[in-house]
């Protein structure tokens, strides 16, 4: 069953998407939390303190990448069943999410480093890096799924590679500006972590909140109409997500 061919493939991606969204929302929250305090310290002329915020954000993104990769790899079946996957959808959803889990770090860093680029004055470069990742996803979706017939695995690889390109763009920018660092004293870890997480909760919630309704609707759709109902709502959800992106200024 290829993705997009029949209800099961489309439904499986829709069932999995809240997990993907959660991973990216974690990156957004940590990146925004770190970038806000980074800008505050820069405005105060505290350059070392600003770099400390980049370092702790990087360590947090790395830690959450390892944690979420482990959780999804070992507990993907109960997660997917909780989200409504069953029958033909479950093995397809597992095939997709396992590939996604191996690219968790790419997704978290891809979304988490972009706010730092914006706050360093590189808003145009941030847009280019995000658009490049988005375009790469589309191109590889076509190649992997329709040309090379890799099905769900190909679709997941396209998503991961698109985020990976965005991450590479972001890293290149930060290295060129001399702003990428992992250096932080142990006695500074807890206060810096508290600051980043406290501020990052709001953007994390904003990024994740639309997917709560998606999870609920998926569950009801699975109960009342099965794969066909989920597939129908998937098409509606894609249109809604485009409108939300326009309203909030996100891609």
């Amino acid at each position: 069953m290829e993705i997009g061919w029949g209800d099961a493939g489309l439904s499986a991606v829709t069932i999995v998407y809240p997990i993907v969204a959660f991973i990216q929302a974690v990156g957004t929250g940590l990146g925004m939390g770190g970038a806000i305090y980074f800008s505050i310290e820069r405005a105060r002329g505290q350059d070392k303190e600003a770099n400390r915020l980049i370092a702790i954000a990087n360590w947090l993104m790395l830690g959450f990448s390892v944690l979420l990769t482990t959780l999804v790899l070992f507990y993907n079946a109960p997660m997917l069943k909780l989200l409504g996957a069953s029958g033909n959808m479950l093995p397809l959803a597992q095939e997709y999410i396992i590939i996604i889990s191996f690219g968790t770090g790419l997704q978290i860093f891809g979304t988490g480093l972009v706010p730092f680029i914006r706050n360093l004055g590189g808003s145009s470069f941030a847009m280019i890096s995000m658009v490049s990742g988005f375009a790469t996803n589309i191109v590889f979706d076509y190649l992997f799924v329709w040309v090379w017939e890799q099905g769900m695995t190909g679709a997941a690889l396209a998503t991961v590679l698109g985020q990976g390109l965005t991450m590479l763009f972001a890293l290149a920018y930060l290295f060129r500006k001399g702003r990428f660092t992992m250096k932080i004293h142990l006695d500074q870890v807890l206060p810096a972590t508290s600051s980043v997480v406290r501020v990052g909760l709001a953007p994390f919630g904003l990024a994740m909140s639309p997917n709560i309704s998606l999870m609920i609707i998926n569950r009801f759709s699975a109960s009342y109409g099965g794969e066909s109902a989920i597939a129908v709502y998937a098409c509606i959800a894609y249109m809604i997500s485009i409108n939300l992106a326009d309203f909030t200024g996100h891609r």
Side-chain angles (χ1 to χ4, degrees):
M1 174 72 71
E2 293 183 2
I3 182 172
W5 291 52
D7 295 337
L10 183 57
S11 300
V13 174
T14 307
I15 288 290
V16 168
Y17 184 74
I19 300 177
V20 180
F22 182 86
I23 292 170
Q24 295 181 1
V26 168
T28 298
L30 295 175
M32 289 293 291
I36 289 170
Y37 272 105
F38 168 78
S39 295
I40 292 173
E41 297 299 339
R42 281 189 72 207
R44 292 173 175 171
Q46 302 293 326
D47 207 54
K48 289 184 178 179
E49 293 295 314
N51 285 338
R52 176 172 63 87
L53 270 302
I54 292 181
I56 196 61
N58 286 333
W59 278 112
L60 286 171
M61 285 188 277
L62 180 61
F64 273 96
S65 296
V66 174
L67 175 63
L68 293 178
T69 297
T70 304
L71 288 175
V72 174
L73 276 177
F74 287 98
Y75 299 102
N76 60 78
M79 287 180 184
L80 293 170
K81 290 178 181 177
L82 183 64
L83 291 172
S86 61
N88 293 332
M89 285 189 292
L90 183 57
L92 290 172
Q94 285 184 292
E95 180 183 349
Y96 187 88
I97 198 59
I98 287 172
I99 300 297
I100 290 292
S101 68
F102 284 112
T104 296
L106 302 180
Q107 296 177 82
I108 288 181
F109 277 92
T111 54
L113 293 178
V114 168
F116 287 100
I117 297 176
R118 292 197 191 103
N119 289 9
L120 282 167
S123 56
S124 296
F125 190 89
M127 181 187 69
I128 291 170
S129 65
M130 294 172 70
V131 170
S132 298
F134 177 68
T136 299
N137 191 348
I138 293 175
V139 171
F140 278 127
D141 262 329
Y142 172 74
L143 292 175
F144 282 129
V145 178
W146 279 276
V147 178
W148 298 326
E149 299 184 352
Q150 295 301 305
M152 301 295 289
T153 298
L157 282 172
T159 299
V160 168
L161 291 173
Q163 287 292 338
L165 183 64
T166 299
M167 183 195 74
L168 289 176
F169 270 81
L171 286 174
Y173 184 91
L174 292 175
F175 273 113
R176 184 165 63 86
K177 292 287 186 178
R179 285 293 185 176
F180 186 86
T181 180
M182 302 286 286
K183 295 180 180 179
I184 184 170
H185 294 295
L186 288 177
D187 60 340
Q188 298 174 327
V189 169
L190 286 179
T193 299
S194 175
S195 298
V196 171
V197 172
R198 187 172 63 250
V199 174
L201 283 174
F204 165 80
L206 181 63
M208 190 61 200
S209 57
N211 296 284
I212 296 174
S213 61
L214 176 61
M215 288 187 283
I216 296 171
I217 292 171
N218 282 343
R219 287 289 302 179
F220 278 108
S221 299
S223 299
Y224 290 104
E227 295 171 1
S228 299
I230 296 175
V232 169
Y233 183 73
C235 299
I236 298 172
Y238 293 147
M239 291 186 288
I240 292 173
S241 66
I242 294 172
N243 291 331
L244 285 175
D246 289 336
F247 292 147
T248 61
H250 292 87
R251 64 183 175 125

